[in-house]
Amino acid sequence: MSSGVLAVSMIAGYLGGALVACMFSRGRLVRWLTAAGALVGGASALALAGAELTGRSSGNLHVLGYLARPDLGGPQQYVQVLHIVDPLAAVFLAVVGALAIPAALYSVGYTRAWEGRRSLRMPGAMLNLFLLSMSLVPLAGSIFWFVLFWEGMAISSYLLVMTEADEPETVSAGNWYLGMTQFGLGFILAAFFLLLPPDGSGDFTALAKHAATLSPGLKSLVFVLALIGFGAKAGLVPLHVWLPSAHPAAPSHVSALMSGVMIKLGVYGVLLFGLRLLGGGPAWWGGLVLTLGAVSALLGVLYALMEHDLKRLLAYHSIENIGIIFIGVGAGMMFLSYGLPELAVLGFVGGLYHTINHACFKGLLFLGAGSVLHATHTRSMEEMGGLIKRMPRTALFFLVGAAAISALPPLNGFVSEWVVFQALLGGASIPKREVAVLMPVAVAMLALASGLAAACFVKAFGITFLGIARSHEAEQAHEAPASMQVAMAALALACVVLGAAAYAMVPALGRAVAGLGGLPPASAVTVSWRLSVPLSAPGAVGQISPLSILLGLVILLAAIPMALWLFRASRALRVSDTWGCGRIAQTPRMQYTATAFAEPLRRIFAALYRPTEDVSVDFHPESRYFVQSIAYRAHIVPWFERYLYDPVIDRVIAWAARVRAIQSGSLHAYLTYLVGALVIMLGLLMLWGR
Amino acid sequence: MDSAFGQLTVLGSSLVLLCGLTLLWRRGSAAHINAFAAQSVALAATAGLIAVVTGGRELWVVAVIFLGLKGTLMPILLKRMDRRFGGPRELEPYVNTATSLVIGGLLVVLAYIVTWPILDVSRLPTRAGMPLAMGLIFVSLFVIISRKKALTQVIGFLALENGIALLAMLGTYGIPFIVEIGVFLDALMGFLVMQIVIYRIQETFESIDVEQLNRLSQ
Amino acid sequence: MPLQTGYTVAIAQTALALLLAPGLVGLIRWLKARLQNRRGAPVWQPYLELRKLFAKEVVVSSNASWLFRTAPFVVFASTVAVAFLVPVLAAPLPFDSVGDLLVVVYLLLLGTFFLALAGLDPGSAFGGMGSSREMTVAALSEPTVALAIFALALGAGSTNLGQIVARTMADPAAAVSPGYLLAFGALFVVTLAENGRLPVDNPATHLELTMIHEAMILEYSGRYLALIEWAAWLKVLLFFSLLGNLFVPWGVATVLTWAALGWALATLVAKLVVLAVVLAVFETRVAKLRLFRVPELLAVSFVLAVLAITVSFLVR
């Protein structure tokens, strides 16, 4: 299929799904058709990206160009609109398409719960429009279209977040989200406008040409503005505060898309500016990105540890993984500026690979959390437990996702973190030693973040699924509908495959970044059944084979029971009560809670958390020797919200209150403003005309 | 630098620095005094090693002084002070232990960054140990500002002097004898003055927690 | 070296590690007993324990799920997989290109992950406590391990185990360089933490206040317990092999002749005995730390690793 046909089918699929949702607002067929539209769109997007990455695409998408600007006529109309500009954009398009398929499938089962309570019009239409705008952002070739689709993405996701607007925290989450999006957009627009060439053409190639003529100071300003703007979208610390409220508030498949795909478009933006438009820069750019990434990784996981709301926990982990992606990207930029192209490719490949992998396992985890929410109607882990027996398949898929995000071999999370580690190891080659010191620091922070992530997911999986049910809803939980299970199964399989297929992924990603910003055209990574990456010392190679590890573990797991049988070990098994050191009764209250599990870490990192505890004891009315109930509440200080955002917001509100004085409500006053403005404008025109 | 002599001096300097880091790790005064004694012994050994290889007679004298006075006599005096004004065995430092250790590590990295220009210029085989000595200086300063017990601050000051001596030895095979003795006597004077001051603090406040000095302003 | 014999040696070395592991732990226990003026059980006692456990019936909690039953196999499989990768007898072996030091560390984390989940499965308070503490200690030792790996890899130019061994053998002076010694110190503390030895955890008691590893596996019995205990002992042997063969690699066979392998076996046993003596003396000397003092110990090991990196990285 030619690229043009695929592109048309993608857009048609999304628009068709949106149309169906708009016209009808309820019914099983509508849910399926809406999802089918998204599915078709996603599959086309994936195919389009795949064609580009494997070199079989047919170049520009002339059809769209003609449809968009027929008035221009001639060859100009094709230049300005949509075309896959480079394989880097194809990678992000592939991520969108790949995650759209399971999310759409999942939505069929998930939205069934809304039947009769909510109209499907808005969520269904907005889902498709969200996917459409996210697919078109990487394809945009000029400022106008980029910003158009970017804003489309923001607005459609805002409306999706507000789907369940009957809860007060959703409204607040939506406000934060919208505010931060517009804040970021301001910076992005500023960065774009600084790059505008004198003739006003917004095309990216023209921007890149003009950027080459700018002074280094101006280029750095543009990069910093872009980093702030796109960092706000990606969720880099300290611009991350909207993420933990907005992602959980949205319906689960939307959360999966937002965490898995939308924040990656922030990464795309930084790469767009850093590599394509500005063509690489001084080392401090990469150092800044690396530092912000490392800090985000650590802070994200530290705050995730303290959460017992399952979806907020996952949202904080998204911040952590964005941090890891930016560590890879930052390292790549630093190596590029020091003239170490092979190591730079390694850094970028690590970042991109982790982008794909994170989309995979974070999408899976959010869908799993959605299934749990669907079954138990609560997001708090403290009320769950024992779900593995009620929802065995969801538990299995969630376990795969948890193992992947904890970077356990041979799954995909481990492989991409390994690549990032190898890139950081190359820091020994950086000539300037003050800068090279950053690399071991980043290694230590990355290792700590990944260890803490493993601890956090033992908590998340263990408290939610294992043990005994802690509430009535958890006891009555039912397995998720088939469509949701299939979606999760597909993602779980992808996690395994993406890890084992590392030997193919890494060279493909190396080709994707080739040629950008001065990177070598051909990747130096060899292709064989194992993954080999060249390192800094001559002839030294880092090698692992995730496929072999997977096979080896499977063989061993099969061989051990066989060996036991061969050596005639006892096969007797008896089911009885939990021993618990000889205790007789076992109630759900005796288990560890999520707060209890994280308590040692809360104490160890008390300098960061500043935890306060609140214990209230209710005594029996008859006697103080008997206790009726004890309530324990632990709070941590939200540093960024309290000390960074609240003062700024307060100042803005105070300022706005003062400006509000002009809204007196009197008609005469407003008319006076109008006439006054008119007079002033006429006066200015007369002055300038002179 | 790769010679055995270079490696051994770096090893000695590492031991001296590790004893300094022990001041951040352990909490009791007895452990601090033992760490200081061990540090002085290691320093004396390093000085002796350099003296053997370079044949400087003054360094032998310096090594013996370190061993005798700082390795033996001062710890005895410090232990006596501890017995007299001991007070509670542990006082919470301003910065908790784990954070102090991480900061200590970062201070050593900072010391490396600060000493790089010297490393590039120097030609001596012992130059690799100089950043460690500088690190000890920074760590001792950190000990002085982050610990509450006056006795620990005194030990930190003495460790600081050890660090300066080590730096001088590694950088220039020892400074002129007169200067070395002068620095040493300065430290001794400071030590005696501090002993008197601690005695006065103990008399006035019944404890040697330097937080109590705030009360003087009331 | 020819591939077939390479694979044979790899399998043989794993089998050897499995066979020696209970003996090593038995030796450590016997030494500690003698140091504490007791007679102590004979060195081969752990073998008898294994035989007893494999013959016993398994009692599983009614609250537990399939995860409880599969966790012992996952833990054992991941530890045996690590045994294939660590240069116990010879380096480099064919499996050298399958996994490097990072893979080793994270495979061990895989085992810990599943064991911690299995602690939460029966729903008992002890299991939860053990899981929580175990994951805390594991997470806090990660930075140290990563930096120690970094320090070793800086010298060798790669995280590949075969290359690290080769580099130290080619340049003996590097073995006593301060960078290596500091990294050794850091890894020794991590060995204590990861294997649940004093002062982090007491493998001999079953008191709730002193348990980390024992608390997680409290509900296990029979062949499941046998697998988990054996995996834990194998882990001790593998850590000792890493400490011995990465830092003092002489004796590791580089060619696959009977003579070289025999010599490798002899030096391996010697290194294991030495490390066992060191560990036994150390454990007898120190008292167990309170849980909230363990991060301080881990911070010390972290600082040692930072020093190792600065000494070897920034002065070249």
Side-chain angles (χ1 to χ4, degrees), chain C residues 94-111:
Chain C
F95 291 116
D96 193 48
S97 56
V98 170
D100 63 354
L101 206 39
L102 281 168
V103 173
V104 164
V105 171
Y106 278 94
L107 270 176
L108 291 173
L109 185 65
L110 175 67

Side-chain angles (χ1 to χ4, degrees), chain A residues 552-564, chain C residues 73 77:
Chain A
L553 282 174
V554 168
I555 293 175
L556 282 170
L557 274 174
I560 298 169
M562 276 205 310
L564 283 183
Chain C
F73 296 98

Side-chain angles (χ1 to χ4, degrees), chain A residues 176 238 241 637-656 658:
Chain A
W176 268 107
V241 284
V637 170
W639 285 105
F640 292 97
E641 286 85 341
R642 192 184 291 185
Y643 294 107
L644 184 61
Y645 285 88
D646 282 349
V648 171
I649 293 176
D650 288 341
R651 196 126 346 138
V652 169
I653 292 180
W655 199 81
R658 257 182 274 155

Side-chain angles (χ1 to χ4, degrees), chain C residues 220-242:
Chain C
Y220 275 110
S221 50
R223 58 185 180 279
Y224 293 159
L225 184 59
L227 283 175
I228 292 182
E229 292 273 24
W230 204 356
W233 299 336
L234 181 60
K235 200 167 155 184
V236 176
L237 187 136
L238 290 173
F239 265 96
F240 278 3
S241 308
L242 276 174

Side-chain angles (χ1 to χ4, degrees), chain B residues 71-207:
Chain B
T72 323
L73 187 60
M74 277 189 176
I76 294 178
L77 289 174
L78 286 165
K79 284 212 169 100
R80 210 189 298 169
M81 264 168 70
D82 184 39
R83 259 202 305 274
R84 272 177 83 186
F85 323 117
R89 200 180 137 256
E90 295 178 11
L91 284 176
E92 276 301 323
Y94 285 117
V95 186
N96 76 350
T97 309
T99 317
S100 314
L101 283 167
V102 173
I103 293 179
L106 290 175
L107 284 173
V108 174
V109 174
L110 180 66
Y112 261 89
I113 297 177
V114 166
T115 3
W116 271 327
I118 307 177
L119 286 182
D120 284 333
V121 170
S122 167
R123 287 276 141 257
L124 294 176
T126 54
R127 65 182 187 278
M130 287 208 291
L132 295 171
M134 198 68 179
L136 176 61
I137 292 174
F138 286 158
V139 167
S140 313
L141 287 170
F142 183 63
V143 168
I144 294 176
I145 61 177
S146 71
R147 306 290 127 169
K148 280 191 191 172
K149 212 169 165 186
L151 193 60
T152 313
Q153 292 180 323
V154 172
I155 297 176
F157 174 73
L158 292 171
L160 176 66
E161 212 260 318
N162 274 354
I164 297 174
L166 183 65
L167 188 62
M169 275 196 295
L170 293 175
T172 60
Y173 288 160
I175 49 184
F177 193 61
I178 298 289
V179 182
E180 175 72 44
I181 290 294
V183 171
F184 184 68
L185 284 176
D186 261 331
L188 195 60
M189 282 300 302
F191 175 68
L192 293 172
V193 169
M194 277 192 240
Q195 200 171 12
I196 298 172
V197 169
I198 290 183
Y199 180 60
R200 294 291 296 161
I201 296 177
Q202 165 76 356
E203 271 200 332
T204 318
F205 299 111
E206 299 292 320
S207 97

